[in-house]
Amino acid sequence: MHDQQPPAVTPCPAAGGSPRPELFSWEFATDPYPAYAWLRENSPVHRTTLPSGVEAWLVTRYADARDALADQRLSKNPAHHDESAHAKGKTGIPGERKAELMTHLLNIDPPDHTRLRRLVSKAFTPRRVAAFAPRVQELTDQLIDAIVARSGDSRGTADLIHEFAFPLPIYAICDLLGVPREDQDDFRDWAGMMIRHGGGPRGGVARSVKKMRGYLAELIHRKRLDPGDDLISGLIKASDHGEHLTENEAAAMAFILLFAGFETTVNLIGNGLYALLTHPEQRARLQRALAEGDTGLLETGVEELLRYDGPVELATWRYATEAVRIGGQDIAAGDPVLVVLAAADRDPDRFERADTLDLSRRDNQHLGYGHGIHYCLGAPLARLEGRTALATLLRRLPDLQLAADPADLRWRGGLIMRGLRTLPVEFTDAQPQGRD
């Protein structure tokens, strides 16, 4: 999930003479969709060497991807990886093993997964998320206020990744977890290291994970003594037939809710804004609907933005527990399998005009938040933040425009997530909080 410098991969001819696309280059990171279209057509279940040196299978067609996401023969537990010495420790989140943060929902299978998800669901309820909506709106307006105030009366400029899309979900998830306000800037620093745009070293990510683990252990201890109405207190109090989360389980769950939750929302907001700014007709449709008080297009629009250029490019790691066959391809026990959500969600066999952004698209069972028992638990919160962020920005900064050539923008080079490093914008008109 952190930046990494991709190696050069030399294209070679395919069976039909069509050139095989280069994967994991910076050009690929900018626009992977032509390469994914080639893979869907020519090598839909494709074995490749990743930038880390790990060999894995990429699943690119929608039907195969949906089946693979729900196939319990594909384990989430890294213990099933038949890894070579050079690949050891190169899957998953850097530092989570040493920090004893492995026992979260992205790394376990039933029955442990069933037990933990049931316990966590008791704390992470739709009612809790719905009640959090006013705070998300407040944070959104505060961040826009800061952008407008800094610009003064002159033409306003901002980097919407670092000034808006990044801090909003960090502060939101910290509030939801129960991290005191005076500690939240530390979390922002640790999170920044995890997705730092300069491509920080893997060791830097691991150090941030270690610091976060130490802080969470201390916070969980304090919440046990003095619980509040927050998510960590809810995790501690959650029980199922007398079973409670252990301290390690509670820390791991709090960690993954923050780690996985904030970065997906950063990219949902950033990618979504970029798509709207580069599709002016769709953006104008949405602004007209919002001005008329119609939120229907916002609802379908966020789902379409998740499908069209979603925040999660590849689903997190899976490992074959036995020999399996996916899309006509035999996969050996122990092999890693990566489901390419970005490729599946542009599959023309599933989506009409798959490469077209249509905010009113109705038949939109995208895989942006997964499928099956590992469907993203934080999806309702991410959707709430995405809807609030996009609607408020379009209303309060109605003439928002890109301040750079799209060709000059750079995308982070990580494996799982897809997001912009920066999103420079400019505006002349700024509206106050609240509706006119």
Side-chain angles (χ1 to χ4, degrees):
M1 296 185 189
H2 61 298
D3 282 4
Q4 52 192 330
Q5 178 71 40
V9 179
T10 303
C12 57
S18 174
R20 181 176 298 168
E22 183 178 345
L23 302 179
F24 312 120
S25 65
W26 288 125
E27 292 77 13
F28 171 83
T30 298
D31 183 10
Y33 296 103
Y36 289 148
W38 188 96
L39 289 176
R40 280 195 310 266
E41 181 68 23
N42 297 281
S43 184
V45 181
H46 182 74
R47 188 172 178 87
T48 190
T49 301
L50 304 174
S52 63
V54 176
E55 292 189 356
W57 294 95
L58 304 180
V59 180
T60 60
R61 288 180 179 167
Y62 181 91
D64 296 334
R66 195 171 189 272
D67 288 346
L69 291 171
D71 192 335
Q72 294 195 30
R73 296 172 300 173
L74 299 179
S75 170
K76 298 293 292 173
N77 189 340
H80 291 291
H81 183 193
D82 185 20
E83 57 188 337
S84 61
H86 81 276
K88 193 167 183 63
K90 292 186 177 180
T91 65
I93 300 170
E96 65 177 353
R97 189 185 305 271
K98 288 185 178 179
E100 297 183 321
L101 290 170
M102 293 289 290
T103 52
H104 56 69
L105 294 176
L106 296 185
N107 284 339
I108 57 175
D109 305 315
D112 289 336
H113 178 273
T114 307
R115 177 182 69 87
L116 285 183
R117 187 167 179 114
R118 189 162 52 226
L119 285 169
V120 174
S121 296
K122 290 176 180 290
F124 204 79
T125 60
R127 185 176 68 175
R128 186 187 293 273
V129 172
F132 196 56
R135 177 57 178 159
V136 173
Q137 184 66 64
E138 181 183 18
L139 285 168
T140 301
D141 279 315
Q142 286 174 356
L143 291 168
I144 297 175
D145 287 344
I147 290 171
V148 172
R150 181 179 54 73
S151 299
D153 295 330
S154 62
R155 185 175 184 85
T157 62
D159 173 4
L160 286 184
I161 299 298
H162 293 285
E163 297 180 64
F164 184 76
F166 176 71
L168 174 59
I170 279 291
Y171 292 138
I173 195 65
C174 280
D175 276 0
L176 196 64
L177 287 170
V179 177
R181 300 283 170 86
E182 61 268 22
D183 296 340
Q184 292 186 6
D185 284 338
D186 287 337
F187 265 74
R188 180 172 176 166
D189 291 343
W190 297 329
M193 175 58 75
M194 293 175 186
I195 64 168
R196 62 182 296 182
H197 62 88
R202 189 178 179 89
V205 179
R207 284 192 294 273
S208 293
V209 169
K210 184 177 180 181
K211 290 177 182 178
M212 192 178 294
R213 173 65 175 92
Y215 178 84
L216 287 172
E218 178 186 342
L219 184 61
I220 288 168
H221 178 70
R222 297 207 309 262
K223 297 289 185 182
R224 286 192 190 279
L225 298 176
D226 185 21
D229 185 25
D230 55 72
L231 189 54
I232 288 181
S233 296
L235 291 174
I236 293 168
K237 290 184 288 186
S239 64
D240 184 40
H241 303 297
E243 286 190 281
H244 291 74
L245 291 168
T246 67
E247 182 173 310
N248 273 354
E249 289 170 342
M253 286 308 309
F255 166 74
I256 203 62
L257 286 171
L258 181 123
F259 189 91
F262 90 87
E263 191 173 2
T264 56
T265 309
V266 173
N267 295 344
L268 167 58
I269 296 170
N271 297 4
L273 282 169
Y274 176 71
L276 292 174
L277 292 174
T278 53
H279 292 79
E281 291 183 3
Q282 293 294 310
R283 177 252 189 94
R285 288 179 65 198
L286 182 54
Q287 283 183 298
R288 286 195 300 270
L290 292 171
E292 295 168 0
D294 178 8
T295 60
L297 192 63
L298 178 65
E299 300 280 342
T300 59
V302 166
E303 298 309 305
E304 175 68 347
L305 293 169
L306 283 163
R307 182 201 70 83
Y308 180 77
D309 197 10
V312 184
E313 189 166 343
L314 284 75
T316 50
W317 296 84
R318 285 167 167 77
Y319 312 91
T321 58
E322 59 184 79
V324 296
R325 192 169 179 82
I326 301 176
Q329 176 65 56
D330 291 322
I331 294 173
D335 280 0
V337 175
L338 290 167
V339 177
V340 188
L341 306 179
D345 282 342
R346 293 279 193 105
D347 188 341
D349 287 341
R350 174 59 185 84
F351 299 101
E352 185 179 352
R353 297 177 298 113
D355 288 322
T356 298
L357 180 69
D358 178 5
L359 298 184
S360 59
R361 188 183 297 270
R362 295 287 180 179
D363 181 17
N364 197 1
Q365 294 181 1
H366 63 78
L367 301 176
Y369 284 120
H371 172 66
I373 64 171
H374 292 285
Y375 184 84
C376 178
L377 191 67
L381 177 62
R383 286 184 166 107
L384 168 65
E385 293 174 0
R387 290 194 299 265
T388 304
L390 295 175
T392 308
L393 272 170
L394 292 177
R395 182 183 62 79
R396 294 197 57 191
L397 304 177
D399 66 347
L400 194 68
Q401 299 293 331
L402 270 178
D405 187 320
D408 294 332
L409 297 180
R410 293 293 177 262
W411 298 75
R412 293 195 301 274
L415 181 65
I416 300 298
M417 300 292 185
R418 172 164 172 78
L420 285 161
R421 294 183 180 188
T422 61
L423 184 58
V425 296
E426 56 189 14
F427 59 91
T428 55
D429 184 20
Q431 301 297 315
Q433 294 186 31
R435 294 196 174 276
D436 297 336

